Amino acid sequence: MEIKPYLIFKQNGLLWGVEVACVREIFFLPELTPIAEAPQDIVGAIDLRGSILPVMDLNLRFGYVWQEYSLTDSAIVIEWQEFRVGIIVNQVTEVKHIPEEAITPQLSYGRDKPEAPDRFLAGFARCGTDIIMLVDLDRLIRYSPDKTEVEIPFTASGAGLSATAGKLETQNLQLEIDPNLLAEDAKVLVKPHVFCPNATAQEKAIFRERAHNLRLQGDRENSAAINLSLAVVVLNGEYFGINLAVVREFTDIRQVTPVPCTPDRIIGNMNLRGEILTLVDIRNVLNMSADIKSLSKAIVVEIEDLVAGIVVDEILNIIYLNVAELATIPAALNSSNREYLLGTAVYEEKIIAVLNLQKLLTKGGVVVEEEV
């Protein structure tokens, strides 16, 4: 049974997944430069370390009305068959490993007349109580509608129109569409030529600063700087970053079996799809209180043939960080902590400590050697 990791993100309140193997990096949405004669859904481009990256608006690609962007929106850089594009999403949530058997390729809606298959969906995945729509990257990037088909974006309320060969069909819906939203030929949404025209001066400055930083990173990378994708987690109210390179998956904690005669750092064992996963608490090594109020989330890591579940209070986000952005470890930190940290960085006006998890697990006395 094949199991693939998917990066999960939210868009318009729905959960979507894209194969992690095609994700190159993630960052908060910067200011975009409009591009002339680009497809309707390509709303601009950015200078990403010396390369121009086109950026796609998923709302427009899926046929919805254009919506204002927010400072909390993110851009996911996708590479598919040597082509790179950024896609704008509302929020990146986590990485999930989804088995093939949990994926339904297509849904049947019981219609007498079958409709065309979903254009941009590779399938629907069952993950606990959630249903995640999996993106077909080949179609997302390459698909172009037949020229005889005219598509009109959905309204914000979810109702929409369709048109074929210039004939509109309202499907018995009473709709009110602002004529200013549509171009003269009633085929495409008028594309704003100014990025976030309704943003405040402060918001515009932040968008512009993000674009500036992405452009400057090209000079830093000439000195062979390393890029990190980090999972931002919470332990006792403090923020930490864990390198995604060692993360196998995120999981909910359920039915923990205590292991007798083991140190306090060993929380217990959990059955993870037939694999016995040992849950460990790294708080003691970091000189933090080991008083865990609830067992809810764990990050499954694999380092040097060691597989363990790191217990965390919360998994906040996945972010992209250039090593050049790492600050030195404050001298005020306990000396026993410093060797397990790579540095610190700023995340949403808070300081996160980036863990050297490999050293912490192999040399911090957290390695699980007991046999059950």
Side-chain angles (χ1 to χ4, degrees), residues 18-19 22 78-80 135-142:
V18 61
E19 291 187 29
C22 301
I78 302 293
E79 182 172 346
W80 178 256
V135 178
D136 185 329
L137 287 178
D138 184 68
R139 293 185 65 81
L140 184 74
I141 293 174
R142 301 182 182 277

Side-chain angles (χ1 to χ4, degrees), residues 10-14 16 29-30 32 40-41 43-44 55-74 88-91 153-159 181 189-199 207:
K10 288 183 179 181
Q11 183 69 10
N12 287 332
L14 305 177
W16 299 80
L29 181 65
L32 304 179
Q40 176 65 26
D41 55 283
V43 290
V55 179
M56 175 189 298
D57 186 319
L58 287 185
N59 277 337
L60 298 183
R61 187 60 164 152
F62 295 151
Y64 293 98
V65 168
W66 177 83
Q67 297 180 10
E68 284 278 1
Y69 303 127
S70 167
L71 288 175
T72 58
D73 289 339
S74 293
I88 301 174
V89 304
N90 295 144
Q91 181 185 6
F154 283 81
T155 63
S157 63
L181 292 176
L189 196 68
V190 172
K191 187 187 303 182
H193 297 288
V194 177
F195 180 75
C196 285
N198 298 321
F207 282 125

Side-chain angles (χ1 to χ4, degrees), residues 40-57:
Q40 176 65 26
D41 55 283
I42 302 298
V43 290
I46 57 175
D47 181 346
L48 185 59
R49 298 183 295 278
S51 298
I52 297 178
L53 178 78
V55 179
M56 175 189 298
D57 186 319

Side-chain angles (χ1 to χ4, degrees), residues 139-186:
R139 293 185 65 81
L140 184 74
I141 293 174
R142 301 182 182 277
Y143 174 80
S144 296
D146 190 288
K147 291 184 179 179
T148 62
E149 297 179 0
V150 180
E151 297 187 353
I152 296 181
F154 283 81
T155 63
S157 63
L161 295 174
S162 64
T164 303
K167 181 180 179 181
L168 297 180
E169 298 177 358
T170 63
Q171 300 178 354
N172 298 321
L173 296 176
Q174 298 296 323
L175 303 175
E176 294 183 2
I177 299 181
D178 185 348
N180 295 323
L181 292 176
L182 301 178
E184 292 181 358
D185 58 4

Side-chain angles (χ1 to χ4, degrees), residues 70-137:
S70 167
L71 288 175
T72 58
D73 289 339
S74 293
I76 303 175
V77 180
I78 302 293
E79 182 172 346
W80 178 256
Q81 298 181 355
E82 299 183 355
F83 179 80
R84 287 197 177 199
V85 63
I87 59 175
I88 301 174
V89 304
N90 295 144
Q91 181 185 6
V92 177
T93 60
E94 58 184 333
V95 173
K96 284 185 177 291
H97 282 64
I98 302 177
E100 186 177 6
E101 65 179 13
I103 298 175
T104 301
Q106 292 184 355
L107 296 181
S108 175
Y109 302 106
R111 305 291 173 86
D112 293 334
K113 183 179 178 181
E115 299 179 357
D118 298 309
R119 291 174 300 177
F120 305 125
L121 294 179
F124 304 82
R126 293 174 285 106
C127 294
T129 59
D130 296 323
I131 296 178
I132 298 173
M133 291 166 286
L134 306 180
V135 178
D136 185 329
L137 287 178

Side-chain angles (χ1 to χ4, degrees), residues 341-360:
L341 301 178
L342 295 174
T344 60
V346 178
Y347 170 75
E348 294 187 351
E349 300 182 352
K350 284 201 171 187
I351 299 297
I352 63 172
V354 181
L355 294 173
N356 185 340
L357 199 59
Q358 181 174 1
K359 190 171 185 180
L360 188 150

Side-chain angles (χ1 to χ4, degrees), residues 249-285:
E249 64 181 288
F250 303 141
T251 184
D252 294 327
I253 298 177
R254 54 191 178 278
Q255 295 182 344
V256 178
T257 302
V259 181
C261 304
T262 56
D264 291 341
R265 68 178 185 272
I266 307 299
I267 302 300
N269 289 337
M270 185 183 80
N271 188 323
L272 182 64
R273 298 188 301 274
E275 177 184 9
I276 300 301
L277 177 71
T278 300
L279 301 175
V280 300
D281 183 12
I282 62 174
R283 289 173 172 83
N284 282 336
V285 180

